[in-house]
Amino acid sequence: MNNSSIAPRHGGQLEAIATMFDIPATELLDFSANISPDGPPAGVIDVIRHSLEDLSAIRSYPDLESLELRREIAKYAETSAGNIVVANGFVPLLETALRTLTVKRCLLAIPAFIEYRNTLERVGVEVVPHTVDARRDFRYEPAMLFEGACDAILIANPQNPSGVIQDADTLLDIVHNASQRKVRVLLDEAFIDYIPSLSLITLVEDFPNLIVFRSVTKFHGIPGFRVAYAVTHQSLAAAISANLPPWPITTLAAMAAATALADRPYAERTREENQLRRTALVKNLEAIGLCAYPAAANFLLFPLPDQIPAEQFWEEMITKHMIVVRSCSNYEGLVDQHVRVAVRTRTENERLVLALQQCLSSVRSYLKA
Ligand SMILES: Cc1ncc(COP(=O)(O)O)c(C=O)c1O
């Protein structure tokens, strides 16, 4: 892990990058954040415009129980409103779940979303990192997740940054094993909307040790509204909810998220389009010598050839091509030289591949010099 990085610690930080390189943010094409290029669903814009006409969404307090939103989530995720807790993003939910469960020692499968460790540490949880092997495509091996005498494990399906999806049987094995050992499973399904049939949400009533986290941000293209939810056993859902500050979600954000989730044709189209675009992008990356790990979501992770440092490559892509990729040099458990890119529209993906090809050859030439 590179600690002297100048790259922002998250993708999508265009303002900071624009300032750093003195380039207008509007001229940068962002492949660093994994947000669907097709979002938000059209109804989201309509509902926000309409709510501004009557003003009641602004002049009244939001519903304390977020009932409408939880009902819509329940329909979307095929569960019950009583199993759902909502908050303004994944991090506040994870933090509240950790405090509610009084987790002391958590196994963290890495490489992983950077805020996992930050959140665990902020709450005072001891982190036991467990590196999943890139040579085995980052697949989880159930038996190894229970080393280190932890009372919780934090995993993701699909994973970020690799985009790798784990099959349902392996995950079931993990949850089952954890249940017998009285270990909590904190499962982040932030990108499962791309393959919803592999979600574990249907198991939460049978396995009270399981909490599934999801975000209504990337797939629906509305990260600015900050809406996430956790699905777990009803009694735990009520306890987590009681530990959250009141009104975590604004009325406008709740309306936007509910409208986005209700648009099933949008979800179908997004899945189909993403699959086609991702397959084409994988092929075009291979053609220029970049081999992505097998991914199921809307982003791809690949190692750079010839020991090219990711951050140098990231900088060259910005300054020469106005394209922001995700330098993965700050991911714990991942060797440097890894870059992650989002799957965007076909034209944008083609522009990306051309820029990557040119960038590879220019960086190679001055590394040789
Ligand atoms: C794997 C993963 N989980 C959760 C999140 C957080 O999503 P949000 O804060 O929008 O709820 C992210 C954001 O990048 C992520 O990559």
Side-chain angles (χ1 to χ4, degrees), residues 32-339:
S32 68
N34 311 322
I35 295 158
S36 166
D38 301 320
V44 171
I45 311 299
D46 292 343
V47 81
I48 296 299
R49 276 212 187 98
H50 183 72
S51 66
L52 292 177
E53 278 159 24
D54 105 6
L55 288 190
S56 62
I58 297 173
R59 296 178 106 162
S60 316
Y61 268 78
D63 169 24
L64 251 185
E65 308 291 329
S66 298
L67 199 55
E68 275 309 307
L69 174 60
R70 287 194 297 124
R71 282 196 185 126
E72 205 53 61
I73 293 171
K75 278 192 250 160
Y76 178 83
E78 297 176 8
T79 183
S80 311
N83 293 102
I84 297 168
V85 194
V86 290
N88 52 329
F90 162 79
V91 168
L93 270 178
L94 176 61
E95 199 170 307
T96 311
L98 292 167
R99 281 194 287 106
T100 306
L101 296 167
T102 59
V103 172
K104 303 252 174 325
R105 199 171 145 86
C106 182
L107 181 135
L108 174 61
I110 53 169
F113 180 44
I114 294 195
E115 294 304 329
Y116 293 164
R117 180 183 268 280
N118 292 343
T119 310
L120 290 165
E121 288 181 346
R122 206 166 37 243
V123 181
V125 175
E126 187 185 342
V127 178
V128 179
H130 165 76
T131 307
V132 283
D133 193 346
R135 288 164 307 180
R136 299 173 69 103
D137 289 336
F138 302 99
R139 309 254 173 230
Y140 295 136
E141 289 175 51
M144 296 174 75
L145 295 178
F146 298 102
E147 288 169 358
C150 293
D151 51 359
I153 59 176
L154 176 46
I155 53 177
N157 203 39
Q159 293 175 32
N160 180 12
S162 70
V164 165
I165 187 95
Q166 197 85 38
D167 63 281
D169 285 348
T170 308
L171 280 177
L172 185 58
D173 191 12
I174 293 170
V175 175
H176 197 258
N177 248 290
S179 164
Q180 286 176 338
R181 295 162 195 253
K182 303 207 177 338
V183 172
R184 310 281 184 174
V185 179
L186 310 167
L187 173 64
D188 184 3
E189 292 189 349
F191 293 96
I192 201 81
D193 309 67
Y194 288 98
I195 0 83
S197 60
L198 293 186
S199 170
L200 289 201
I201 278 182
T202 49
L203 298 184
V204 297
E205 276 300 314
D206 293 334
F207 290 95
N209 65 321
L210 173 65
I211 307 185
V212 178
F213 297 89
R214 288 189 175 181
S215 295
V216 192
T217 53
K218 311 181 193 266
F219 182 81
H220 291 93
I222 51 169
F225 280 115
R226 314 303 307 121
V227 178
Y229 57 99
V231 185
T232 188
H233 190 276
Q234 296 228 6
S235 56
L236 182 55
I240 297 173
S241 188
N243 282 335
L244 275 166
W247 307 292
I249 297 186
T250 64
T251 307
L252 291 183
M255 283 171 151
T259 307
L261 293 172
D263 190 341
R264 300 306 151 73
Y266 167 88
E268 284 304 317
R269 270 196 320 275
T270 302
R271 278 193 270 278
E272 280 166 23
E273 274 297 328
N274 180 65
Q275 164 96 26
L276 295 171
R277 291 166 180 164
R278 191 183 63 228
T279 308
L281 182 54
V282 167
K283 208 164 125 245
N284 293 340
L285 288 173
E286 270 169 17
I288 60 166
L290 297 173
C291 276
Y293 296 97
N298 63 332
F299 53 93
L300 296 168
L301 177 75
F302 52 82
L304 294 169
D306 306 329
Q307 308 286 307
I308 296 174
E311 190 142 320
Q312 193 172 347
F313 193 80
W314 168 83
E315 192 168 335
E316 182 90 1
M317 284 291 286
I318 295 169
T319 54
K320 300 276 167 50
H321 303 278
M322 307 283 199
I323 289 181
V324 185
V325 296
R326 176 72 159 92
S327 157
C328 293
S329 60
N330 66 341
Y331 275 96
E332 182 184 8
L334 190 65
V335 292
D336 195 12
Q337 299 108 30
H338 277 85
V339 163

